[in-house]
């Protein structure tokens, strides 16, 4: 029989992986059944030769030798069966709440447009990579990222930022992430860096694992990243990654 085949570059979910393990167990069981059947036919053939053909020298010792060979092979098959049963029990007992994706999750990566921002301005983004349809970009207003309703997301952010160009206006860095859904604004996360920013040497602002929920939204939500302070800042480089969870 032919061996089971799998795609060279599989894009599989956790449920797909568990089903493929069960399928591989079934294929092994089928192969073992062919081996057991072949051994039974071999022993049956030997016994028929012993009882029906007087011209063939089949001694009891040879029959016992064949029987011992079949016994050793069946013993190996039974040991394999124990391993297969243990593997199958692990898969069948695997709870749905265990970590790992149970579906093909959406994800998107955005890069920031390098520019100068004032306090109250929003970061502007360009889409770098997207998978799935639950995260999209408002191309009419590149500061807005659109999240599908009834979902949960995880967000990570990093940026290299220079401070105010006015020496008298230097202050610490502060950013705010918010969502707008059904005309309701929700403050998701506020990031503050206590150190005073330099107007020449950029500092790195980075945070991750931010939970964003749109489960209570009846329509798509808009996500924005706003500069709170300093009064002016130059965005040298910025990245925003969002993944459905």
């Amino acid at each position: 029989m032919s061996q089971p085949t799998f795609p060279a570059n599989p894009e599989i979910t956790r449920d797909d992986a568990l089903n493929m393990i069960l399928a591989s167990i079934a294929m092994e069981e089928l192969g073992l059944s062919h081996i057991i059947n072949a051994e039974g036919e071999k022993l049956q053939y030997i016994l028929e030769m012993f009882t029906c053909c007087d011209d063939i020298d089949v001694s009891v010792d040879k029959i016992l030798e064949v029987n011992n060979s079949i016994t050793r092979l069946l013993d190996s098959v039974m040991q394999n069966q124990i391993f297969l049963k243990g593997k199958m029990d692990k898969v069948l007992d695997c709870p749905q709440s265990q970590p790992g994706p149970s579906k093909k999750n959406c994800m998107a990566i955005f890069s920031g447009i390098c520019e100068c921002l004032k306090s109250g301005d929003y970061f502007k983004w360009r889409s770098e990579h997207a998978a799935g349809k639950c995260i999209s970009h408002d191309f009419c207003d590149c500061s807005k990222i659109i999240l599908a309703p009834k979902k949960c997301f995880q967000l990570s952010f990093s940026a290299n930022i220079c401070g105010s160009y006015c020496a008298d206006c230097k202050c610490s860095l502060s950013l705010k992430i918010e969502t707008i859904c059904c005309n309701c604004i929700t403050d998701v996360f506020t990031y503050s860096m206590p150190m005073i920013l330099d107007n020449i040497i950029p500092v790195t602002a980075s945070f991750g694992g931010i939970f964003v929920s749109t489960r209570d939204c009846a329509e798509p939500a808009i996500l924005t990243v706003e500069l709170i302070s300093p009064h002016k800042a130059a965005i040298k480089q910025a990245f925003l990654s969002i993944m459905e969870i």
Side-chain angles (χ1 to χ4, degrees), residues 154-168:
Q154 184 171 292
L155 179 149
S156 297
F157 172 92
S158 63
N160 292 329
I161 304 174
C162 286
S164 170
Y165 290 97
C166 173
D168 297 331

Side-chain angles (χ1 to χ4, degrees), residues 70-186:
I70 295 174
T71 301
R72 288 192 298 268
L73 182 58
L74 291 180
D75 183 63
S76 298
V77 170
M78 291 304 299
Q79 293 181 30
N80 202 348
Q81 288 281 68
I82 295 173
F83 289 125
L84 291 178
K85 182 180 183 301
K87 186 193 297 185
M88 182 183 66
D89 289 341
K90 291 292 186 182
V91 173
L92 295 179
D93 293 340
C94 187
Q96 294 299 318
S97 59
Q98 275 195 350
S102 60
K103 59 183 183 303
K104 296 179 180 178
N105 293 356
C106 299
M107 68 164 294
I109 299 174
F110 302 92
S111 62
I113 297 175
C114 297
E115 60 175 355
C116 295
L117 298 180
K118 295 181 180 179
S119 177
D121 288 345
Y122 296 103
F123 281 68
K124 294 181 174 61
W125 306 100
R126 63 170 62 92
S127 179
E128 296 290 340
H129 173 78
K133 299 180 179 180
C134 58
I135 306 170
S136 58
H137 195 202
D138 188 338
F139 293 99
C140 296
D141 185 349
C142 55
S143 67
K144 297 178 180 179
I145 295 172
I146 303 173
L147 305 178
K150 311 299 181 182
K151 302 284 186 181
C152 292
F153 303 90
Q154 184 171 292
L155 179 149
S156 297
F157 172 92
S158 63
N160 292 329
I161 304 174
C162 286
S164 170
Y165 290 97
C166 173
D168 297 331
C169 301
K170 286 185 177 180
C171 59
S172 61
L173 173 66
S174 182
L175 307 172
K176 182 172 68 175
I177 297 175
E178 62 183 19
T179 57
I180 304 174
C181 177
C182 301
N183 296 321
C184 180
I185 300 176
T186 302

Side-chain angles (χ1 to χ4, degrees), residues 46-66:
I46 295 297
L47 293 177
E48 289 178 351
M49 292 296 99
F50 180 72
T51 56
C52 300
C53 301
D54 296 333
D55 56 337
I56 298 179
D57 183 18
V58 179
S59 64
V60 174
D61 291 338
K62 289 184 179 180
I63 295 177
L64 292 176
E65 183 179 348
V66 171

